[in-house]
Amino acid sequence: MIRKIPSGSNIMNTLVGVLTCLFFAQLSVHAQEAPPRPISIYVNPAQGLIFGAFFQGPTGGTVTIYPDGSRVVTGSIIQANLGFPFSPAIFEVDANPGTLITIMNGSDATLTGSNGGTLSMHIGTSSTGSPFVATATSPARTQVRIGGTLIVGVPLANPTGSYSGTFSVTFIQQ
C-alpha cells in the first residue's frame, strides 16, 4: 500500500486552519450586564446646608460654604464660631454602581429671618462634580456634598436672628 504524504506547506495550512477554527470556537464575548429596569436612584438628604454664626458689618457681604466644609466670608462679615457649626448639605445617593447621575441645582432660595428680613442663597457646586458616576454598592451610598453662598445685606434689611428656608437640587440618572 502506498500512502501519499502531504507536503510540508499543506500540513502547515491544515494546522493553521484547525487552530483558527479552535480559537474562534473557544472565543466568547461578554458585555456589561443590562441594568435593572426601571433604573432608579434614591437620594437621602442627610444634612442641610448650615452657614453657622457670623457678625454682620455695616455693608454686608457673603458667606460661602464649600463642598469640602470650609467657610469664607467677604465684605464686612466677620466669622464667629460661638458653638454653631457650619457645613455643606450632604446627600446620600443609593444607585447601582456605574449609574451616571447629573445634578441640577434649583433657583436661588430665599431665607426668612426670625426677626424679619430675608437673605438670598445661591446653591453652589458639589463634591462629585456633575455628572458623576455612582460607585458605592448598596447598602453603602455615594456621598454628595453641596455648598452655597449666602448674600447678606445691610443690618436694616437683614436684622440679626436665625434664618431658614429650603432649596431644591435634582438628581437625574442617565
Side-chain angles (χ1 to χ4, degrees):
M1 193 158 138
I2 299 176
R3 281 211 238 179
K4 183 175 177 188
I5 300 176
S7 68
S9 66
N10 286 339
I11 293 175
M12 196 62 160
N13 287 341
T14 304
L15 184 59
V16 167
V18 169
L19 289 176
T20 302
C21 287
L22 287 175
F23 174 74
F24 285 113
Q26 295 298 318
L27 182 66
S28 61
V29 177
H30 298 282
Q32 181 176 350
E33 179 179 326
R37 297 286 181 207
I39 298 174
S40 64
I41 62 172
Y42 171 76
V43 180
N44 176 42
Q47 178 176 288
L49 181 55
I50 305 168
F51 288 93
F54 53 88
F55 296 107
Q56 180 182 15
T59 60
T62 64
V63 180
T64 301
I65 302 293
Y66 291 100
D68 67 3
S70 61
R71 178 172 71 167
V72 174
V73 297
T74 65
S76 63
I77 304 295
I78 300 169
Q79 294 187 59
N81 290 328
L82 302 175
F84 295 99
F86 54 89
S87 173
I90 299 175
F91 297 91
E92 297 172 335
V93 179
D94 189 359
N96 290 331
T99 302
L100 183 64
I101 300 169
T102 300
I103 300 172
M104 187 172 70
N105 289 348
S107 58
D108 289 354
T110 300
L111 308 182
T112 305
S114 58
N115 294 321
T118 60
L119 297 174
S120 180
M121 185 195 75
H122 177 74
I123 304 166
T125 59
S126 68
S127 59
T128 57
S130 180
F132 71 96
V133 176
T135 56
T137 302
S138 194
R141 295 179 175 157
T142 302
Q143 195 173 81
V144 178
R145 297 170 178 262
I146 297 179
T149 299
L150 191 62
I151 295 96
V152 182
V154 297
L156 284 176
N158 302 129
T160 301
S162 178
Y163 286 79
S164 62
T166 61
F167 64 95
S168 174
V169 177
T170 304
F171 291 80
I172 305 166
Q173 92 275 350
Q174 298 179 350

